Amino acid sequence: MTELEPDPNSRITKVDFGYSAILAILVFFSRYFTRSAPYFGDGPFIVQAIRDRIYTVEPPGYWLYARLGSLFPDPVFGLTFSNEIFAATGVGVFFLLCRKLDLSIKMSVAATLAYGSVFFCWFAGGIQTSHGSQMLFAPLTVFCFLYYQENKSIWLLMSCGLSFAIGAGMRPSDGAFLTPLFFFLLVRFVPEWKRRIFLLVFTGIVCLAWYIPTQMAMQHPAVNTVRNEMHGMASRTSMLLNGINRHTISNLLRVFVPLLAAFWMLVPSMFGRKPLLQKWILLLWIVPGLAFFLFVSMAEAQYLTLLAGGIVLLAALSENQRRAFVLLLVCFTFNTLLFLGSRPIDSERNAARVVNFYVVKCCYYGIRHRWNLNIGNGGVVPR
């Protein structure tokens, strides 16, 4: 064994599954008691698309997510319950991933509590948009590959492709961001060419199972086109297209402000030496999506849900485990208080408005007041 490889003896035990289940239950009820009625973002439109049996609202479609919600008699309940399950199962899997990366039980619990409490992840699990799904499928894909290395079962290999393909179906844009990580894990942990080809073909077939119906559904005249969607998304906010101006700076703030609000306390533990394999996994987990949000377009804080697990692990895998443990507990405490207790700053200064719209809006205050509009389209702070 080299430092590039996880410890093959770090097997998941019944005790680990017990901790995982307890953490999952806690997170499920945290989302259940802070759930919202449909009001935010695409949520109401996805509900209506299910009722109209269109199942898409705009590119990239969200057909699989809408179809999941349609399996329930009430699509509002279906979408809400699905996100609560994604959040709960996601933190359970994240704990097992921490253990697979050879973190102690104490450190794994602290990291998982931090992950489950991140304010924009909590928000994503309580509304009806598809962002909450990435609390599960991003860490699950990494965990499946690490577990496959330990037990090279064909079923575990298929689980790697299934996790990635379903996660990509729930949010195709996030699937695109995770594609470099998927290929890296494929090359790193599946050395046999026959199995690599099998996994690629299997993953492709599962992706086609949602991609083809998505494209068919998007032919409906009520659905926006990809060209219009991309133009509306990036025409003003992309720094690559427009350079530095007030619109692109606002886009940067929509990325940096929520990240700093959630993770400022973890910065001392994010940097330092790590095994090369861990560095590549975290780099490819975080950077593609972050680069898109920074240089093309960013909307609301819950878009960052995809990156949260990688950022928490960046701190949890620090060489200084004692400091990282304390900071992760601070992260858990701060984000819990932020989500449940934050209130808008009573000021019209630009800095106050940035905090209000980019942080407080995506906390429980925003849910209770159905705060939806943003600064750019005439939003006001509800009181």
Side-chain angles (χ1 to χ4, degrees), residues 40 118-121 123-124 131 254-255 257-259 293 298-306 357-359 361-363:
F40 191 86
V118 172
F119 78 92
F120 51 77
C121 294
F123 181 74
H131 304 89
R254 285 193 290 272
V255 180
V257 172
L259 286 177
F293 297 142
M298 170 69 178
E300 306 284 356
Q302 77 276 2
Y303 280 65
L304 300 167
T305 300
L306 173 73
F357 280 89
Y358 301 161
V359 177
K361 178 183 173 185
C362 294
C363 292

Side-chain angles (χ1 to χ4, degrees), residues 246 250 253 257 345 347-358 375:
R246 66 184 184 90
S250 295
L253 289 174
V257 172
I345 301 171
S347 171
E348 289 302 315
R349 292 177 180 271
N350 287 334
R353 287 172 62 81
V354 165
V355 172
N356 287 342
F357 280 89
Y358 301 161
I375 297 175

Side-chain angles (χ1 to χ4, degrees), residues 29-35 116-120 122-123 332-344 359-360 362-369:
F29 282 109
S30 74
R31 272 51 173 181
Y32 177 82
F33 288 115
T34 55
R35 58 167 46 178
S117 67
V118 172
F119 78 92
F120 51 77
W122 197 330
F123 181 74
F332 161 65
T333 304
F334 179 82
N335 274 275
T336 300
L337 293 175
L338 176 66
F339 181 81
L340 295 176
S342 63
R343 299 292 184 271
V359 177
V360 181
C362 294
C363 292
Y364 191 47
Y365 184 93
I367 288 177
R368 288 191 292 111
H369 290 81

Side-chain angles (χ1 to χ4, degrees), residues 28 31 80-91 125 132 136:
F28 174 84
R31 272 51 173 181
T80 307
F81 181 72
S82 296
N83 279 346
E84 291 163 355
I85 292 295
F86 288 143
T89 311
V91 298
L136 169 60

Side-chain angles (χ1 to χ4, degrees), residues 186-236:
L186 169 71
V187 172
R188 182 61 185 78
F189 294 123
V190 188
E192 307 89 350
W193 273 103
K194 286 185 178 179
R195 290 211 163 190
R196 286 181 183 175
I197 293 171
F198 170 81
L199 180 57
L200 288 173
V201 171
F202 174 76
T203 306
I205 291 172
V206 178
C207 286
L208 286 175
W210 58 258
Y211 179 79
I212 292 174
T214 298
Q215 296 306 307
M216 294 173 62
M218 286 177 60
Q219 301 306 310
H220 193 281
V223 179
N224 198 6
T225 66
V226 175
R227 181 176 180 179
N228 288 342
E229 185 69 19
M230 288 298 295
H231 181 268
M233 179 173 60
S235 61
R236 294 195 304 171

Side-chain angles (χ1 to χ4, degrees), residues 44-356:
F45 302 106
I46 295 174
V47 170
Q48 190 60 47
I50 294 172
R51 289 171 175 161
D52 295 339
R53 299 189 178 183
I54 301 173
Y55 306 116
T56 54
V57 292
E58 62 183 12
Y62 313 121
W63 178 88
L64 185 60
Y65 178 66
R67 287 298 287 166
L68 176 64
S70 74
L71 299 178
F72 299 83
D74 178 8
V76 175
F77 172 82
L79 296 177
T80 307
F81 181 72
S82 296
N83 279 346
E84 291 163 355
I85 292 295
F86 288 143
T89 311
V91 298
V93 169
F94 187 81
F95 175 84
L96 298 178
L97 174 59
C98 290
R99 295 292 289 139
K100 203 76 196 74
L101 290 168
D102 208 26
L103 290 172
S104 68
I105 288 181
K106 182 176 75 170
M107 179 62 78
S108 298
V109 169
T112 304
L113 287 173
Y115 179 52
S117 67
V118 172
F119 78 92
F120 51 77
C121 294
W122 197 330
F123 181 74
I127 58 176
Q128 291 76 33
T129 64
S130 60
H131 304 89
S133 65
Q134 298 311 307
M135 276 207 78
L136 169 60
F137 292 106
L140 179 59
T141 301
V142 178
F143 175 77
C144 287
F145 273 103
L146 292 177
Y147 203 33
Y148 171 76
Q149 187 190 40
E150 176 186 304
N151 183 356
K152 296 185 181 298
S153 160
I154 192 67
W155 299 108
L156 283 175
L157 184 66
M158 293 171 68
S159 73
C160 299
L162 196 63
S163 173
F164 172 78
I166 294 177
M170 294 294 171
R171 280 197 64 75
S173 55
D174 286 355
F177 301 149
L178 287 178
T179 295
L181 175 60
F182 177 80
F183 277 101
F184 172 78
L185 295 171
L186 169 71
V187 172
R188 182 61 185 78
F189 294 123
V190 188
E192 307 89 350
W193 273 103
K194 286 185 178 179
R195 290 211 163 190
R196 286 181 183 175
I197 293 171
F198 170 81
L199 180 57
L200 288 173
V201 171
F202 174 76
T203 306
I205 291 172
V206 178
C207 286
L208 286 175
W210 58 258
Y211 179 79
I212 292 174
T214 298
Q215 296 306 307
M216 294 173 62
M218 286 177 60
Q219 301 306 310
H220 193 281
V223 179
N224 198 6
T225 66
V226 175
R227 181 176 180 179
N228 288 342
E229 185 69 19
M230 288 298 295
H231 181 268
M233 179 173 60
S235 61
R236 294 195 304 171
T237 62
S238 173
M239 187 176 294
L240 298 177
L241 298 177
N242 302 293
I244 298 176
N245 57 46
R246 66 184 184 90
H247 297 295
T248 59
I249 291 174
S250 295
N251 190 74
L252 294 179
L253 289 174
R254 285 193 290 272
V255 180
F256 283 124
V257 172
L259 286 177
L260 286 174
F263 300 120
W264 59 267
M265 72 296 291
L266 297 183
V267 172
S269 289
M270 286 182 180
F271 304 99
R273 295 183 58 187
K274 290 180 178 64
L276 187 59
L277 176 61
Q278 293 179 3
K279 287 182 179 178
W280 274 109
I281 289 175
L282 298 177
L283 180 74
L284 293 173
W285 188 339
I286 297 169
V287 170
L290 182 61
F292 180 89
F293 297 142
L294 287 172
F295 299 114
V296 180
S297 182
M298 170 69 178
E300 306 284 356
Q302 77 276 2
Y303 280 65
L304 300 167
T305 300
L306 173 73
L307 315 179
I311 295 172
V312 171
L313 281 176
L314 198 61
L317 293 167
S318 168
E319 278 189 311
N320 190 333
Q321 288 285 281
R322 179 177 296 182
R323 180 179 65 182
F325 175 75
V326 172
L327 295 180
L328 287 165
L329 290 182
V330 173
C331 180
F332 161 65
T333 304
F334 179 82
N335 274 275
T336 300
L337 293 175
L338 176 66
F339 181 81
L340 295 176
S342 63
R343 299 292 184 271
I345 301 171
D346 189 12
S347 171
E348 289 302 315
R349 292 177 180 271
N350 287 334
R353 287 172 62 81
V354 165
V355 172
N356 287 342

Side-chain angles (χ1 to χ4, degrees), residues 15-27 88 91-93 95-96:
V15 173
D16 294 324
F17 280 111
Y19 277 102
S20 173
I22 292 170
L23 291 165
I25 291 169
L26 289 174
V27 167
V91 298
V93 169
F95 175 84
L96 298 178

